[in-house]
Amino acid sequence: MKTPAITDDRLLFFHQLCLNHKLPHPVCSGCVDACPFGALQQQGSSIEIDHDRCTLCGACVAACPVLAVNLRQHPYAGISGHITEKPYFALGCFRQSAGQEHIRIPCARVVDIALLAHRAIEQPDESASMRILTADCTRCPCNGDGGLPSHISALQEESAFWRIPVDIELQQVSSKDRTGKGAPPSSGSGLSRRSLLRFFRSGEPHIAPSAPANSAPDTCESSCHKRQLLLAYLSRTPFPLSSATVLPEHSFGQIRMERGGECTLCEVCTRLCPTRALYWLDSENQRSLRFDPTLCIACKRCTLCPGKLLTLQSITCGEFFSGTRDLCQFATAACESCDDLFVKNPETNGLLCPVCQTMAKNQQRLLADLKNCSDTQ
């Protein structure tokens, strides 16, 4: 059997979403480590893609926590959206055409714990399952390293940790199933006219791929997509894990601040945080650096704080759902000159912001110099 060539799909890499973007040293190599064929190479703070080696299996997409790597014709968000629309449909490799309706995915390697948790929410049966239709994987370039079974095994172990009641079933489609006529699509299936005509001509109905994602998505929306899918499951009642359970440190953590009073409010940490787990909150007379543990993906970007004040530590389930908390607080006031909020200095008790204070000092110095000049004359 000859695997059809995929000519329309391209692996996309959004540099501005990558956790290594504009950093002096890489903090993440998930996509590079996950690629079975060495198609991705780390080049400083960027990733280079060898499209000749890439088989579009989607392993790097599953490994990237912020979706900086994606597939144009089969984007990750499109797959999760199809699961929402068709929660009981099987997922099918796009290198095969089964005689039944299915959601097309690049390969079983693209399925991760977030998609599995999403299926558990959308398919709340006690015996929920995720069937993945595959072609002859022994001849497929996506399985050239033979690592597909190990990926499924690791995914099942991770789902057991989270108590996600979804069974993963790989169903190989034989050549007879591939060429035979399938059952007609059910009413209300949501198939497009083109898909309906394709069924009557060839008996190969499927869910059409999502629209191409040629432009980079919103940074925070894309970065939080996988975490939001998992949170939807973890936030359910009753919670499947005990409050003392320590969450996996590779993707969960909490930020601690040492010597909070020494923070210079440079905002480097909040600018580096890809999911806005760290943010500044301004009130009438106070400014706080807040931390949301549910959005932290343990990328360690914030630990690049110039003052070395932030550290990443492990987190338990109880701490994970404890809500946002303040890492440091500063008293603020409105500047009498420009009306901007600024942090009050307890030593000076001034009513001008630092910028206006500097301008006032320069003005006084200039007036003093002019007076000295007039006196000498």
Side-chain angles (χ1 to χ4, degrees), residues 5-311:
I6 306 299
T7 59
D8 295 332
D9 288 19
R10 291 293 182 271
L11 186 65
L12 302 178
F13 177 68
F14 301 114
H15 293 269
Q16 65 272 32
L17 297 184
C18 181
L19 297 178
N20 300 322
H21 184 54
K22 293 185 177 180
L23 295 186
H25 305 288
V27 296
C28 178
S29 60
C31 61
V32 176
D33 298 337
C35 181
F37 311 104
L40 278 69
Q41 299 294 330
Q42 190 85 46
Q43 298 293 338
S45 60
S46 182
I47 300 294
E48 297 295 333
I49 303 174
D50 186 346
H51 291 281
D52 293 333
R53 291 187 176 184
C54 179
T55 63
L56 303 172
C57 67
C60 54
V61 180
C64 182
V66 292
L67 293 179
V69 187
N70 219 328
L71 291 169
R72 184 172 66 86
Q73 291 291 342
H74 299 271
Y76 187 94
I79 297 174
S80 63
H82 286 320
I83 292 177
T84 301
E85 298 171 0
K86 308 291 182 182
Y88 292 92
F89 276 31
L91 277 62
C93 167
F94 61 40
R95 286 183 169 85
Q96 56 85 27
S97 298
Q100 56 183 297
E101 295 178 275
H102 62 277
I103 300 171
R104 287 199 167 188
I105 60 174
C107 176
R109 294 178 189 268
V110 79
V111 180
D112 62 358
I113 194 65
L115 286 180
L116 210 60
H118 185 51
R119 171 59 73 92
I121 290 293
E122 300 298 333
Q123 193 182 102
D125 302 346
E126 293 183 0
S127 58
S129 64
M130 177 177 283
R131 287 190 306 115
I132 303 177
L133 310 177
T134 64
D136 189 353
C137 292
T138 58
R139 301 183 182 182
C140 178
C142 290
N143 196 41
D145 64 336
L148 183 56
S150 62
H151 170 74
I152 299 299
S153 177
L155 186 59
Q156 289 175 330
E157 291 180 4
E158 193 173 3
S159 65
F161 172 84
W162 291 112
R163 311 288 201 276
I164 299 177
V166 176
D167 294 328
I168 306 174
E169 177 187 353
L170 288 180
Q171 179 181 339
Q172 182 172 324
V173 180
S174 65
S175 57
K176 183 177 180 180
D177 294 330
R178 288 166 53 83
T179 57
K181 300 290 183 178
S186 59
S187 60
S189 63
L191 289 176
S192 64
R193 182 179 179 182
R194 177 177 298 179
S195 297
L196 190 61
L197 291 175
R198 176 180 296 182
F199 166 76
F200 286 115
R201 291 176 181 176
S202 62
E204 298 176 355
H206 66 280
I207 299 300
S210 300
N214 294 320
S215 58
D218 175 76
T219 302
C220 186
E221 179 183 356
S222 176
S223 300
C224 295
H225 185 74
K226 286 189 176 184
R227 179 51 56 93
Q228 294 297 343
L229 294 180
L230 185 58
L231 282 177
Y233 175 78
L234 298 181
S235 302
R236 70 191 182 99
T237 304
F239 188 64
L241 302 178
S242 67
S243 60
T245 303
V246 178
L247 300 184
E249 297 183 5
H250 62 81
S251 55
F252 297 87
Q254 59 180 328
I255 303 300
R256 298 290 186 184
M257 172 170 280
E258 305 290 341
R259 308 182 305 278
E262 298 182 11
C263 176
T264 61
L265 290 84
C266 65
E267 300 187 357
V268 169
C269 58
T270 55
R271 294 176 183 274
L272 288 176
C273 182
T275 59
R276 298 178 189 170
L278 280 173
Y279 61 96
W280 287 100
L281 180 65
D282 291 319
S283 59
E284 183 177 355
N285 55 5
Q286 182 175 279
R287 192 177 200 200
S288 307
L289 179 60
R290 310 209 75 184
F291 171 64
D292 185 351
T294 61
L295 295 180
C296 179
I297 58 174
C299 65
K300 300 182 181 180
R301 285 169 64 93
C302 61
T303 59
L304 298 176
C305 167
K308 307 297 181 183
L309 304 180
L310 301 178
T311 58

Side-chain angles (χ1 to χ4, degrees), residues 321-338:
F321 285 107
S322 62
T324 58
R325 57 177 177 268
D326 294 337
L327 299 182
C328 60
Q329 297 177 342
F330 300 90
T332 60
C335 177
E336 290 185 340
S337 177
C338 65

